[in-house]
Amino acid sequence: MIKFLFFLLILLNTKNVLILALTSTQDISALKAFKSSINPNSIPSWSCLASWDFTAADPCLLPRRSHFICGVTCSSDSTRVTQLTLDPVGYSGQLTPLVSQLTNLTTLDLSENYFSGPIPSSISSLSNLQTLTLRSNSFSGSLSNSVSNLKSLQSLDLSHNFLSGYLPNSINLMSSLTRLDLSYNNLTGSLPKLPNGLLELALKNNSLTGSLLKSSFDGLTRLEVIELSENSINGVLESWFFLLPGLQQVNLANNSLTRVEISKPVNGDSDLVAVDLGFNKIEGNVPLNFAYYPLLSSLSLRFNKLRGMIPLEYSRKKSLRRLFLDGNFLIGKPPAKFFAGETLVTGSLGDNCLQGCPGSSQLCTPSQKSNNVCKQAYGGKWKPKS
């Protein structure tokens, strides 16, 4: 009996050891370094990080009651950390390079806090990382070429930070990447060759320059969303652009484009739904071929330098629901179908040089340009109709 009790005591002690030492020492070391790099005054008592007490519990121990209550997810065998997802409570500090010791990490999400300083290049050694979200922090510096080593990464969101410099040319080597969002930073230069697997590209509100080149988009057969508004992209938007086979939504508003070339979709087949080219410097006539994109529902060409008449084909397009052509120098009478009660189109044809735009229609607001402005725009050859 005494021997049995002695054996049971040893067994219980062994189980305690196993319970208290589940997480790999490498991961524990990395988590400790991660927490110590954060300003303790920015850790609220009720937050995830406040519950990280390495002297009282193991990070992967289950069930969790008072320690490591959130922020950490572990593998099924409870030995490796696979996800590090912080709550958005305003943590401040820097991201320690030792986070790279969490080699089984698939998700790193520190969004909506106040992390600052550079993004450590050591992150590139996280070969299992699939989601990297550092959105809405204060990270600065350039995006390292080493980011291309993240071969498993599917989603990269570094938007709303203070990153600067060029996009690395090696970014096209990220073969698993489907979503890239670097909006609201200070990135400069032109677009390099992009990863072929991209579905969504967002670089809104940066300082990108140059023209959009076909070489940057070669092989992007799955690309659905392009958000490049509020940059300084210039030159001609060539016809290949809208023929990208998976394209659904395009926003290039608030740039410096001067001309747009639009071809009819191949075999009349296109998934394009929404296009915004407003607030550029586009000259010429309203592109007729947009009318042949079968699913196009929303089109904005507002505040450019367009001239001539509104194509009748636009008023015959049953899929069109939103049309903004205001702020140009369009002439003639707008298509009557826009006002015949047969269309559900909303938007604006105002601030042009149109005649006969019914003042009772919302489409005709604001009012048209003055005769003097229109005459000057057409070199004195424009005459208002009575």
Side-chain angles (χ1 to χ4, degrees):
M1 184 66 178
I2 294 175
K3 288 183 178 180
F4 174 75
L5 290 174
F6 181 71
F7 174 77
L8 185 61
L9 181 62
I10 292 175
L11 184 61
L12 288 172
N13 285 337
T14 302
K15 285 185 177 181
N16 284 338
V17 170
L18 290 173
I19 290 174
L20 293 176
L22 293 174
T23 312
S24 75
T25 55
Q26 175 180 316
D27 286 7
I28 290 177
S29 174
L31 291 175
K32 287 180 176 179
F34 178 86
K35 183 175 181 180
S36 65
S37 67
I38 294 174
N39 179 0
N41 294 326
S42 70
I43 303 177
S45 59
W46 41 265
S47 65
C48 282
L49 278 180
S51 73
W52 288 19
D53 187 344
F54 297 93
T55 63
D58 182 277
C60 290
L61 181 65
L62 292 174
R64 297 174 180 173
R65 292 187 175 88
S66 58
H67 303 292
F68 294 95
I69 58 174
C70 56
V72 176
T73 302
C74 298
S75 57
S76 57
D77 62 0
S78 298
T79 60
R80 301 302 307 272
V81 174
T82 57
Q83 296 185 31
L84 180 52
T85 305
L86 288 190
D87 41 346
V89 298
Y91 301 118
S92 64
Q94 297 198 344
L95 178 56
T96 174
L98 295 179
V99 73
S100 61
Q101 292 182 2
L102 299 171
T103 52
N104 275 35
L105 209 60
T106 60
T107 299
L108 177 59
D109 186 346
L110 311 179
S111 57
E112 298 181 42
N113 283 290
Y114 293 103
F115 285 88
S116 59
I119 299 172
S121 58
S122 62
I123 282 183
S124 62
S125 64
L126 296 175
S127 59
N128 294 302
L129 199 62
Q130 298 174 15
T131 301
L132 177 57
T133 305
L134 305 179
R135 178 185 67 250
S136 298
N137 278 282
S138 297
F139 287 107
S140 58
S142 59
L143 191 60
S144 171
N145 264 308
S146 61
V147 71
S148 62
N149 293 331
L150 296 171
K151 304 298 184 185
S152 299
L153 198 66
Q154 298 172 14
S155 176
L156 176 61
D157 188 347
L158 307 179
S159 61
H160 295 269
N161 279 285
F162 297 99
L163 301 177
S164 57
Y166 294 170
L167 281 173
N169 289 326
S170 59
I171 199 169
N172 72 299
L173 301 177
M174 302 176 73
S175 55
S176 299
L177 197 65
T178 60
R179 180 175 181 269
L180 175 63
D181 193 345
L182 302 174
S183 301
Y184 294 94
N185 279 287
N186 300 315
L187 299 171
T188 55
S190 56
L191 287 180
K193 174 69 180 72
L194 297 165
N196 286 354
L198 273 187
L199 296 174
E200 299 179 28
L201 171 67
L203 282 155
K204 179 179 183 177
N205 204 316
N206 278 280
S207 298
L208 300 178
T209 55
S211 301
L212 294 183
L213 302 178
K214 188 176 182 181
S215 57
S216 299
F217 293 84
D218 270 349
L220 273 71
T221 58
R222 302 170 60 203
L223 187 61
E224 297 176 352
V225 178
I226 298 177
E227 168 58 270
L228 295 173
S229 61
E230 298 178 55
N231 281 285
S232 297
I233 296 168
N234 55 40
V236 179
L237 190 59
E238 297 177 347
S239 58
W240 59 265
F241 183 83
F242 288 104
L243 298 179
L244 289 169
L247 202 57
Q248 296 179 17
Q249 299 178 46
V250 173
N251 191 349
L252 283 164
N254 293 92
N255 277 284
S256 297
L257 296 170
T258 54
R259 198 169 86 249
V260 177
E261 297 174 353
I262 311 292
S263 296
K264 292 181 180 180
V266 179
N267 299 322
D269 185 25
S270 171
D271 293 328
L272 191 65
V273 173
V275 175
D276 191 345
L277 298 174
F279 297 93
N280 276 278
K281 301 175 182 178
I282 300 170
E283 298 182 340
N285 294 325
V286 177
L288 168 62
N289 285 336
F290 272 135
Y292 298 103
Y293 284 75
L295 302 180
L296 188 64
S297 174
S298 177
L299 175 63
S300 174
L301 293 163
R302 61 191 324 207
F303 290 93
N304 279 285
K305 299 179 179 180
L306 296 172
R307 298 170 176 243
M309 301 179 70
I310 301 172
L312 284 173
E313 288 80 358
Y314 278 26
S315 65
R316 298 169 183 161
K317 185 168 179 54
K318 293 182 179 180
S319 67
L320 195 62
R321 291 292 177 266
R322 299 175 74 248
L323 177 63
F324 288 90
L325 298 177
D326 49 312
N328 285 285
F329 298 92
L330 304 179
I331 59 173
K333 286 187 176 182
K337 274 194 174 183
F338 281 145
F339 316 104
E342 302 173 8
T343 177
L344 298 175
V345 173
T346 61
S348 177
L349 308 177
D351 196 17
N352 278 289
C353 298
L354 297 170
Q355 292 92 39
C357 203
S360 59
S361 173
Q362 175 269 331
L363 277 173
C364 294
T365 57
S367 59
Q368 301 299 310
K369 288 181 169 68
S370 70
N371 291 345
N372 287 337
V373 170
C374 294
K375 187 176 291 186
Q376 184 177 3
Y378 283 89
K381 296 180 181 180
W382 178 84
K383 292 183 179 180
K385 291 184 179 180
S386 57

